[in-house]
Amino acid sequence: MSVNQQTHTGPPYGQPQPGYQGYQQPAYGGQPLPGVPHSQYGAYNGPMPGYQQPVPPQGSVRAPATSGTSLSSGHLGYSPFGQGDVQNGIPASTAPMQRPPASQPFLPGSAPVPVSQTSMFQQYGPPPASVQQLSNHMAGMTIGSTSTSAPPPAGLGYGPPTSVPPVSGSFSATGSGLYTPYTASQGPPPPSVSQGLPLAQPPFSGQPVSTQRLPTQVPGFAPPPSSTGIGPSSYPPTTGAPRPPTMPGPPLPVQTASGPPTSQPHHVSSPPPPPSTLSGPHPGPPMSGLRGPPPPTHPPQPGYQMQQNGSFEQVRGPQPNYGGAYPGTPNYGSQPGPPPPPKRLDPDSIPSPIQVIEDDRSNRGSEPFVTGVRGQVPPLVTTNFLVKDQGNASPRYIRCTSYNIPCTSDMAKQSQVPLAAVIKPLATLPPDETLPYLVDHGESGPVRCNRCKAYMCPFMQFIEGGRRFQCCFCSCVTEVPSHYFQHLDHTGKRVDFYDRPELSLGSYEFLATVDYCKNNKFPSPPAFIFMIDVSYNAVKSGLVRLICEELKSLLDYLPREGNVEESAIRVGFVTYNKVLHFYNVKSSLAQPQMMVVSDVADMFVPLLDGFLVNVNESRTVIISLLDQIPEMFADTRETETVFGPVIQAGLEALKAAECAGKLFIFHTSLPIAEAPGKLKNRDDKKLINTDKEKTLFQPQTSFYNNLAKDCVAQGCCVDLFLFPNQYLDVATLGIVTYQTGGSIYKYAYFQLETDQDRFLNDLRRDVQKEVGFDAVMRVRTSTGIRATDFFGAFYMSNTTDVEMAGLDCDKTITVEFKHDDKLSEDSGALLQCALLYTSCAGQRRLRIHNLSLNCCTQLADLYRNCETDTLINYLAKYAYRGVLNSPVKTVRDALINQCAQILACYRKNCASPSSAGQLILPECMKLLPVYLNCVLKSDVLQPGPEVTTDDRAYIRQLVTSMDVAETNIFFYPRLLPLTKADVDSDSLPAAIRNSEERLSKGDIYLLENGLNIFVWVGVNVQQGLIQNLFGVSSFSQISSALNTLPVLENPLSKKVRSIIDMLQVQRSRYMKLIIVKQEDKLEMLFKQFLVEDKSLTGGASYVDFLCHMHKEIRQLLS
């Protein structure tokens, strides 16, 4: 559903899909081709619901579409043309096809497979009457929902062949295939080419027919219309190549891969060919097989080699051994020409994340998403859309892995689809959406269910004329308090329904009463304490001076409530190395006073009055202190630091002031000085890929876990800014930050000139962002499911309450649900997330988010309403927690196995029967393999040699509280061709897929993943572009040390800088800008983010991984 809206409301399997009126659904039945091996993978393609098909010309045959894509296997005959000619959309010279792994076994014993359906766009001879019943065996991989089958007709007659004009344009032929002899009633395909469009072979008697859908993006060719299945077809010839004639020969095993999603406008299938009665080959593209039946025993043709084990060679440029110009209609019956080289699985024909994102934007970006309907799947996170709250929480607050959940636990176990919600309770809304209303019920507080304590919400049912209400979560009936009573209208709704946010909206806030406060007294406003490491490294690098300068102005931007003049937050200052220095900045003092605590083993705060102050009252004393700190420690020789006592000091200060708050700690080195929480260097790269690797992610002492627990109890949140030049043990130092709901920022090898912008931007945003203090969150569910597991930056002292000293607007909590009873399709399932927190002004509030989901008894309904981006967010967090207790290999295998089970269950229970050579993916999960592969290749699960232990611990903690949009860009980065940007418009250039073969040496590209922005410059970029963007005259003069682009007065420079600024604003952290010159040493780092390619650490390419997933699914099904 996340791709095209038709899916969840679409017709049931086996009925014609919209947009294909008048055509019967293609069948999966049909006679197999005799003696032909079937294959496992083939090119990926599929129909496009939502794209109206062109009306077929008179006398044409067209097979109906399925919303799945099918790609047929290479048990078809030899194709006289290269498979890569036109139908892969990009000449092979610029986009070589991907290669599935070459070491898969070729297994005998599977049944032969027929091929998939045809479609057309050219005029053909008159079809036989029964042509609509052509059987469509889908022998390729299929994506999307699938259809039911019909028997094939017997011997059809065909009209005369048409001739083939030569194709203009240069293609490289990359197909290899084998001829299958025809019986007298079958004919070869004398195709006709127009403008370089694909050709296809004719239907032939009693056997299924297939066509290959092609991408239309071939330079210089008119796009063919969109259509359905994929399979072998005949292709336009390479320029100057005669068509090899036909002879019987041994068919090969083939891999088939299934097609681009049903909503991909970039792929079209070729037309059914003109009928003919000649006997001749049935052309088709083989791709080599991973597993399949044994090859038939026809004698091999001279000059053709058997293909081994699915090994494909990459082919660039025109084919060797072809003669002169293409003469026209082939002369069937003459000697065969030399074989085209073997075929690789085409990366263009497998599901493209870019295409899915673009389709969702065009289909769902223009209309507002209205939340009034239960179980609606929202647009993708990559789509810019407006939300109108009409009773369910906005997807900005809650996203689910599925919006239609199984009625029983057995069904949930069978599908293996995790039922989870990613909740971002304090999410920032765009300016054109309304913030949650604040409801004040006075001293009596919010109205709640007597039994389960759920808060009043739109799903509560008022009964007995409005005097009582029945809880939608536990069904208990509760009296309506007299002050809350209101009459019901003729539909049973209260007449004040639209006046009360809690009755008509999905998200709202209640003002909490004193009963919701600690020790039954209202909280004081929170405090911010800035704690600065003044050891030798911090002073020498210029960091201390930088922080002090920035704080002078930043203190005017502390968060404040609504339109209040000044912030209620009080501030305090501490510096430290081996000892701690506290500062009295009371407004009555002329100069700040420093107090030193050297007994770090028993930490206390030496002053109460004057430590936490109001910024405006004490401004002159604070400015004086910030001027003095860099001078006081300018000549320090102290290199050792403490860390535990620093947090203890902040905690004690907040306890003494009886308030919650946040510590901003700026720290540079491993705390090896004698003190509580002292650490040793335990970094050991030799542990990678051993059973002890998990210890690298675990804290080396329990000291910080206990400290974190105390911090949470006080509402003391810790934000950590790290500036390491060597191992720092992020896994241990980060524990307090992680469990208090804080944030970690890491600037390895910090240098003032290159890193100060990033650090200052992060610091400004961190100080200014909205935070709820002393927060507790509980998720209630309706009977039948319950919250069983939680992921994120928080602490839990019991099984239901998520406790956070601080929760900011960027943090998410991921909640997994399990069945504890049956659900019903009628009532659906409900979630209510209630967050109790203290605002930055010291007001105690409750924020409520409600969401209603559908329930289903059919697995097809579950698979039609899943959200892959959310699923990947959950799976990444699940895996990243798994590495704490299990070897990384075990975690990786479990991830692959779970996804294979999800897809195998769909294949077994929701797809029409079809050959094992197909990979069938649900429409809304067709990106699951590519995204899962990105998670498996990430630094946490598969580190490269240059990735440090600290990097891995840092990323692990970071991802655990990311929202869905952040994990989406983090695992599959955005790649933009800057040279294609329109300097006159505000829009971004269209993104391209993350693969090196998509990069051109003459262009400049930008890649962003939420932490870094890379600008990659090709070696052949025009001098004018280099001058306009970098202000230098040649490629060699571009400096890789640049961390910002120079400000130049020309349209390109302005455009690129505005794109970068736009991306920076969208992300929660300021991204580091890195200039990468092609063939430079930094290019290795850049290439790791081209996630569709094979990685240097041994991670599979997208194509290889797809083949691997197919193998796993087949093993599960057999």
Side-chain angles (χ1 to χ4, degrees):
M1 165 62 199
S2 57
V3 179
N4 51 348
Q5 291 181 86
Q6 273 86 338
T7 28
H8 84 289
T9 52
Y13 300 122
Q15 293 183 10
Q17 298 286 345
Y20 306 103
Q21 285 81 8
Y23 294 102
Q24 168 194 336
Q25 279 301 82
Y28 281 108
Q31 320 303 320
L33 288 173
V36 174
H38 87 273
S39 104
Q40 216 174 339
Y41 297 89
Y44 247 94
N45 258 327
M48 294 148 277
Y51 295 94
Q52 199 67 19
Q53 299 297 36
V55 180
Q58 275 312 102
S60 63
V61 179
R62 174 164 102 175
T66 62
S67 85
T69 24
S70 109
L71 151 208
S72 70
S73 47
H75 46 263
L76 291 173
Y78 217 108
S79 156
F81 311 109
Q83 155 94 342
D85 284 345
V86 176
Q87 88 270 21
N88 295 329
I90 294 184
S93 56
T94 59
M97 304 183 185
Q98 298 272 42
R99 228 161 80 152
S103 58
Q104 307 280 0
F106 174 74
L107 299 182
S110 330
V113 185
V115 281
S116 80
Q117 72 262 30
T118 61
S119 80
M120 48 80 46
F121 58 86
Q122 282 169 283
Q123 185 132 357
Y124 297 97
S130 62
V131 87
Q132 296 235 325
Q133 296 169 331
L134 271 178
S135 118
N136 291 290
H137 229 82
M138 318 258 310
M141 310 207 248
T142 316
I143 302 196
S145 42
T146 40
S147 58
T148 53
S149 57
L156 310 171
Y158 298 106
T162 53
S163 69
V164 184
V167 182
S168 62
S170 97
F171 292 97
S172 66
T174 53
S176 85
L178 294 165
Y179 293 112
T180 326
Y182 278 178
T183 60
S185 62
Q186 302 163 355
S192 91
V193 178
S194 90
Q195 256 308 87
L197 290 173
L199 321 164
Q201 70 260 15
F204 48 104
S205 76
Q207 304 192 6
V209 180
S210 143
T211 62
Q212 172 93 9
R213 261 185 26 173
L214 321 178
T216 54
Q217 302 172 304
V218 182
F221 294 89
S226 47
S227 160
T228 59
I230 261 207
S233 67
S234 38
Y235 318 57
T238 22
T239 314
R243 247 169 92 131
T246 68
M247 294 272 299
L252 285 184
V254 182
Q255 282 169 293
T256 43
S258 91
T262 54
S263 57
Q264 294 204 344
H266 276 188
H267 293 72
V268 233
S269 64
S270 31
S276 131
T277 51
L278 292 174
S279 86
H282 176 74
M287 313 210 243
S288 84
L290 296 187
R291 296 144 62 109
T297 54
H298 302 284
Q301 272 315 101
Y304 293 115
Q305 301 167 330
M306 271 304 278
Q307 246 172 298
Q308 292 299 324
N309 272 3
S311 58
F312 305 135
E313 279 172 86
Q314 176 172 324
V315 180
R316 294 175 181 265
Q319 290 304 345
N321 302 330
Y322 272 76
Y326 184 64
T329 315
N331 172 12
Y332 292 98
S334 65
Q335 281 307 102
K343 165 77 183 77
R344 296 172 63 229
L345 188 57
D346 173 24
D348 272 334
S349 59
I350 53 183
S352 156
I354 303 305
Q355 194 58 55
V356 170
I357 288 168
E358 281 308 314
D359 291 342
D360 193 75
R361 280 183 185 149
S362 55
N363 294 338
R364 307 200 61 187
S366 49
E367 293 294 309
F369 178 69
V370 180
T371 71
V373 182
R374 182 174 86 189
Q376 273 188 113
V377 184
L380 298 183
V381 283
T382 42
T383 298
N384 206 352
F385 60 99
L386 186 70
V387 180
K388 292 193 173 165
D389 185 342
Q390 292 193 357
N392 282 293
S394 161
R396 303 191 204 289
Y397 294 124
I398 307 182
R399 276 187 178 264
C400 294
T401 52
S402 179
Y403 287 80
N404 201 332
I405 61 181
C407 283
T408 64
S409 60
D410 289 348
M411 192 172 152
K413 283 193 191 97
Q414 187 185 359
S415 75
Q416 285 287 312
V417 175
L419 305 175
V422 180
I423 306 174
K424 195 176 181 183
L426 298 178
T428 309
L429 299 185
D432 42 4
E433 290 178 22
T434 316
L435 292 170
Y437 290 99
L438 181 60
V439 179
D440 184 358
H441 282 316
E443 285 181 18
S444 59
V447 178
R448 301 175 71 176
C449 165
N450 271 346
R451 183 197 288 161
C452 71
K453 304 297 179 200
Y455 294 87
M456 180 54 67
C457 71
F459 313 120
M460 298 288 191
Q461 189 69 45
F462 286 89
I463 54 176
E464 297 177 21
R467 286 188 294 281
R468 303 168 87 188
F469 69 90
Q470 183 169 25
C471 177
C472 51
F473 294 95
C474 70
S475 304
C476 173
V477 174
T478 301
E479 293 282 335
V480 173
S482 54
H483 69 88
Y484 198 69
F485 173 78
Q486 187 52 270
H487 295 285
L488 308 184
D489 66 12
H490 64 287
T491 65
K493 265 186 186 169
R494 285 173 50 125
V495 296
D496 62 353
F497 175 82
Y498 290 108
D499 301 331
R500 290 193 176 273
E502 72 274 21
L503 298 181
S504 54
L505 299 177
S507 301
Y508 42 87
E509 292 199 313
F510 290 121
L511 204 53
T513 59
V514 76
D515 307 333
Y516 293 86
C517 303
K518 260 189 199 154
N519 309 326
N520 278 7
K521 61 182 209 187
F522 284 112
S524 309
F528 282 0
I529 304 177
F530 297 92
M531 316 186 87
I532 305 168
D533 174 347
V534 288
S535 64
Y536 177 74
N537 274 346
V539 174
K540 187 190 66 169
S541 65
L543 181 62
V544 173
R545 188 174 296 280
L546 182 68
I547 293 168
C548 292
E549 282 304 315
E550 180 61 28
L551 287 179
K552 289 182 197 172
S553 53
L554 193 52
L555 294 176
D556 287 331
Y557 297 96
L558 299 176
R560 48 177 167 240
E561 203 79 74
N563 313 325
V564 189
E565 286 272 319
E566 66 176 54
S567 173
I569 293 174
R570 291 170 297 160
V571 298
F573 302 89
V574 172
T575 56
Y576 67 93
N577 38 47
K578 270 202 323 200
V579 297
L580 275 77
H581 323 105
F582 293 80
Y583 297 93
N584 183 344
V585 283
K586 199 172 171 181
S587 55
S588 55
L589 295 174
Q591 282 294 319
Q593 294 172 346
M594 173 165 132
M595 299 182 183
V596 180
V597 176
S598 51
D599 181 7
V600 289
D602 183 17
M603 191 34 82
F604 67 98
V605 179
L607 74 162
L608 284 181
D609 192 25
F611 179 63
L612 294 178
V613 297
N614 173 293
V615 173
N616 279 344
E617 290 172 9
S618 297
R619 183 179 301 275
T620 51
V621 193
I622 292 172
I623 298 291
S624 172
L625 170 68
L626 294 172
D627 281 337
Q628 289 175 40
I629 288 174
E631 306 309 326
M632 272 191 287
F633 298 100
D635 300 324
T636 184
R637 284 281 166 267
E638 185 53 75
T639 56
E640 293 187 357
T641 57
V642 296
F643 186 73
V646 180
I647 298 175
Q648 287 174 325
L651 172 61
E652 291 303 322
L654 295 177
K655 273 185 185 167
E658 295 184 344
C659 68
K662 188 183 266 200
L663 313 182
F664 295 83
I665 302 181
F666 305 91
H667 189 78
T668 61
S669 59
L670 190 70
I672 54 172
E674 272 311 319
K678 172 188 173 180
L679 300 179
K680 59 181 193 291
N681 186 338
R682 53 158 185 168
D683 189 16
D684 188 356
K685 276 282 179 79
K686 291 197 287 294
L687 297 181
I688 291 177
N689 296 325
T690 69
D691 285 354
K692 289 188 174 171
E693 184 172 0
K694 60 191 176 198
T695 59
L696 297 175
F697 296 109
Q698 298 164 353
Q700 58 171 284
T701 158
S702 61
F703 172 84
Y704 290 100
N705 295 73
N706 298 328
L707 182 53
K709 188 174 165 183
D710 296 340
C711 287
V712 172
Q714 182 55 41
C716 169
C717 176
V718 179
D719 279 2
L720 193 50
F721 293 81
L722 297 173
F723 306 86
N725 289 334
Q726 57 201 26
Y727 179 71
L728 193 69
D729 203 348
V730 173
T732 306
L733 296 188
I735 282 287
V736 180
T737 297
Y738 186 66
Q739 295 194 359
T740 58
S743 305
I744 301 185
Y745 299 85
K746 181 165 160 287
Y747 311 88
Y749 307 107
F750 177 83
Q751 289 183 301
L752 217 53
E753 53 282 0
T754 54
D755 297 309
Q756 83 169 32
D757 276 355
R758 183 163 61 109
F759 162 58
L760 293 180
N761 276 287
D762 283 341
L763 176 59
R764 286 165 197 157
R765 187 150 199 274
D766 196 60
V767 167
Q768 294 174 45
K769 66 185 169 189
E770 182 186 359
V771 186
F773 292 95
D774 222 346
V776 183
M777 186 182 100
R778 184 176 283 192
V779 178
R780 293 179 174 82
T781 53
S782 52
T783 313
I785 53 169
R786 62 195 170 87
T788 55
D789 210 350
F790 301 85
F791 303 82
F794 52 74
Y795 174 78
M796 291 186 82
S797 55
N798 58 36
T799 55
T800 54
D801 293 342
V802 175
E803 300 173 51
M804 294 155 288
L807 172 68
D808 65 48
C809 55
D810 297 321
K811 296 279 187 307
T812 65
I813 294 95
T814 302
V815 186
E816 187 180 5
F817 303 98
K818 290 261 169 42
H819 287 75
D820 56 7
D821 204 346
K822 282 199 171 95
L823 293 163
S824 91
E825 284 187 282
D826 298 338
S827 52
L830 301 174
L831 319 176
Q832 183 178 79
C833 161
L835 176 78
L836 175 65
Y837 71 99
T838 301
S839 75
C840 60
Q843 200 174 51
R844 202 70 175 148
R845 294 181 179 181
L846 283 152
R847 181 168 287 201
I848 313 294
H849 298 298
N850 303 287
L851 187 63
S852 59
L853 302 172
N854 287 328
C855 296
C856 58
T857 53
Q858 299 296 317
L859 282 164
D861 292 327
L862 163 69
Y863 283 102
R864 213 179 276 130
N865 292 278
C866 287
E867 229 264 299
T868 299
D869 292 324
T870 310
L871 190 56
I872 288 291
N873 179 285
Y874 164 83
L875 290 171
K877 291 171 181 177
Y878 183 78
Y880 281 16
R881 186 176 67 184
V883 298
L884 290 172
N885 307 307
S886 308
V888 172
K889 184 179 187 309
T890 310
V891 173
R892 292 166 50 82
D893 292 346
L895 264 187
I896 293 172
N897 183 47
Q898 180 167 8
C899 288
Q901 288 190 327
I902 291 172
L903 298 174
C905 174
Y906 175 80
R907 168 68 184 262
K908 184 177 174 186
N909 299 289
C910 306
S912 298
S914 54
S915 89
Q918 286 173 269
L919 170 58
I920 300 183
L921 301 173
E923 180 53 39
C924 62
M925 281 191 192
K926 64 186 165 208
L927 298 181
L928 187 61
V930 62
Y931 286 163
L932 177 70
N933 191 33
C934 297
V935 175
L936 293 170
K937 293 201 287 188
S938 63
D939 289 342
V940 173
L941 299 182
Q942 196 165 32
E946 70 303 314
V947 178
T948 66
T949 305
D950 276 345
D951 288 333
R952 297 177 75 196
Y954 173 62
I955 295 296
R956 196 191 75 77
Q957 294 195 11
L958 207 56
V959 168
T960 306
S961 46
M962 276 186 182
D963 69 11
V964 180
E966 287 173 318
T967 50
N968 175 274
I969 199 85
F970 180 76
F971 289 115
Y972 192 94
R974 174 152 56 168
L975 183 58
L976 304 173
L978 293 180
T979 25
K980 307 275 191 298
D982 178 358
V983 293
D984 299 321
S985 90
D986 290 338
S987 62
L988 292 172
I992 59 172
R993 291 171 65 171
N994 283 334
S995 172
E996 190 177 354
E997 63 184 31
R998 310 277 165 177
L999 305 179
S1000 149
K1001 291 183 173 187
D1003 287 328
I1004 301 174
Y1005 298 86
L1006 178 149
L1007 181 143
E1008 62 135 348
N1009 74 338
L1011 297 182
N1012 298 303
I1013 291 180
F1014 293 92
V1015 173
W1016 182 91
V1017 188
V1019 287
N1020 297 345
V1021 173
Q1022 292 172 3
Q1023 192 181 338
L1025 289 174
I1026 291 174
Q1027 184 70 52
N1028 284 342
L1029 201 52
F1030 300 101
V1032 295
S1033 54
S1034 70
F1035 178 81
S1036 59
Q1037 291 176 296
I1038 300 171
S1039 164
S1040 298
L1042 284 177
N1043 62 320
T1044 51
L1045 289 177
V1047 177
L1048 303 172
E1049 287 303 312
N1050 66 69
L1052 179 68
S1053 175
K1054 286 178 181 169
K1055 176 66 182 177
V1056 171
R1057 283 181 289 111
S1058 80
I1059 288 175
I1060 290 172
D1061 292 344
M1062 192 154 108
L1063 300 180
Q1064 292 285 21
V1065 169
Q1066 290 173 11
R1067 306 287 163 222
S1068 61
R1069 290 167 183 250
Y1070 194 83
M1071 296 180 281
K1072 181 177 185 175
L1073 181 70
I1074 301 169
I1075 308 292
V1076 179
K1077 293 160 70 174
Q1078 188 179 0
E1079 295 163 10
D1080 192 32
K1081 59 182 188 296
L1082 272 174
E1083 200 182 22
M1084 297 300 271
L1085 175 63
F1086 171 76
K1087 283 181 181 175
Q1088 287 185 7
F1089 296 95
L1090 300 175
V1091 290
E1092 289 196 24
D1093 296 340
K1094 193 170 170 152
S1095 71
L1096 302 169
T1097 56
S1101 70
Y1102 175 17
V1103 172
D1104 290 354
F1105 185 69
L1106 205 53
C1107 296
H1108 179 68
M1109 281 302 283
H1110 190 193
K1111 193 177 107 189
E1112 293 281 326
I1113 291 165
R1114 289 182 66 172
Q1115 280 177 346
L1116 289 171
L1117 291 175
S1118 60

